[in-house]
């Protein structure tokens, strides 16, 4: 019989930040700039261990979705989707209207959540000024956007 796994998705606790950073490093994602957005950073925990993450950097009615990662053994189980949808819920609660992201590895994955490619120059200037845009992500990273206008829309 498989042992039962208790999964939760919650705002990262200070004691889980080192494990979060380890997950991001293992997933080849940047950590730069995240420390000032930890109150909008979600982690998935399985039996108390950090196994996934998704974070928002909020800039008024816009936000950058970043640090979406799932620990390798749990990839392909739907946890990535749960994290992205939890980040959407968090964004809606905070009246965010438009989400942006930069990705080098998952430009084929995010369209299933309604993201479409965007020119960097068309991104909200406040988001363009973020550390991810200015230095942490290479110029080759694809910018994407999604409107979050309606409650109930996914
Ligand atoms: C991208 C990532 C978060 C997806 O997490 P996950 O838990 O595997 O995702 P889900 O289980 O919800 O979805 C699995 C589906 O997405 C697809 N998928 C997963 N990663 C993908 C990627 N990088 N590109 C395209 N499709 C991808 C799988 O093939 C699978 O497809 P299916 O539903 O047709 O079978 C995870 O692979 C990861 O942590 N990658 C490293 C970090 C990263 O690249 N993050 C995104 C940039 S911020």
């Amino acid at each position: 019989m498989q042992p039962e796994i208790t999964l939760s998705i919650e705002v990262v606790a200070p004691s889980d930040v080192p494990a979060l950073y380890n997950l991001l490093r293992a997933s080849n994602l940047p950590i730069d700039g995240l420390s000032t957005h930890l109150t909008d950073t979600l982690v998935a925990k399985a039996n108390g261990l950090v196994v996934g993450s998704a974070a928002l950097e909020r800039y008024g009615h816009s936000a950058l979705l970043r640090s979406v990662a799932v620990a390798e053994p749990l990839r392909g189980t739907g946890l990535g989707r749960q994290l992205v949808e939890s980040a959407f819920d968090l964004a809606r609660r905070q009246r965010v209207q438009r989400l942006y992201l930069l990705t080098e590895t998952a430009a084929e994955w995010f369209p299933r959540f309604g993201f479409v490619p965007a020119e960097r120059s068309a991104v909200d200037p406040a988001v363009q000024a973020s550390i991810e845009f200015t230095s942490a992500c290479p110029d080759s990273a694809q910018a994407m956007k999604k409107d979050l206008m309606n409650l109930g829309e996914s």
Side-chain angles (χ1 to χ4, degrees):
M1 206 169 77
Q2 294 282 335
E4 202 163 299
I5 295 178
T6 307
L7 189 81
S8 65
I9 294 180
E10 58 201 56
V11 173
V12 67
S15 56
D16 286 326
V17 171
L20 163 68
Y21 288 176
N22 284 340
L23 171 69
L24 295 177
R25 281 190 206 99
S27 304
N28 289 318
L29 294 180
I31 290 164
D32 317 45
L34 187 58
S35 63
T36 48
H37 299 277
L38 292 174
T39 52
D40 289 321
T41 297
L42 302 173
V43 287
K45 293 173 79 173
N47 292 346
L49 295 176
V50 172
V51 292
S53 62
L56 295 176
E57 288 190 18
R58 276 192 289 140
Y59 301 95
H61 289 300
S62 296
L64 180 68
L65 174 66
R66 62 169 291 177
S67 304
V68 180
V70 170
E72 220 158 338
L74 290 178
R75 288 182 191 167
T77 64
L79 186 52
R81 170 174 287 280
Q82 286 184 62
L83 282 159
V84 169
E85 289 177 348
S86 297
F88 290 169
D89 289 343
L90 180 63
R92 288 194 185 94
R93 287 200 298 276
Q94 293 166 337
R95 301 286 181 260
V96 168
Q97 293 174 358
R98 182 162 284 194
L99 287 172
Y100 297 94
L101 62 80
L102 280 175
T103 184
E104 282 191 280
T105 53
E108 306 295 320
W109 186 60
F110 284 108
R112 67 177 66 194
F113 305 106
F115 280 94
V116 294
E119 293 292 333
R120 281 186 180 227
S121 57
V123 170
D124 184 327
V127 176
Q128 279 191 55
S130 67
I131 290 175
E132 275 232 338
F133 264 77
T134 53
S135 59
C137 273
D139 289 346
S140 55
Q142 172 71 56
M144 305 186 85
K145 68 174 180 185
K146 172 186 166 69
D147 286 331
L148 266 187
M149 298 303 278
N150 302 315
L151 285 169
E153 177 212 29
S154 63

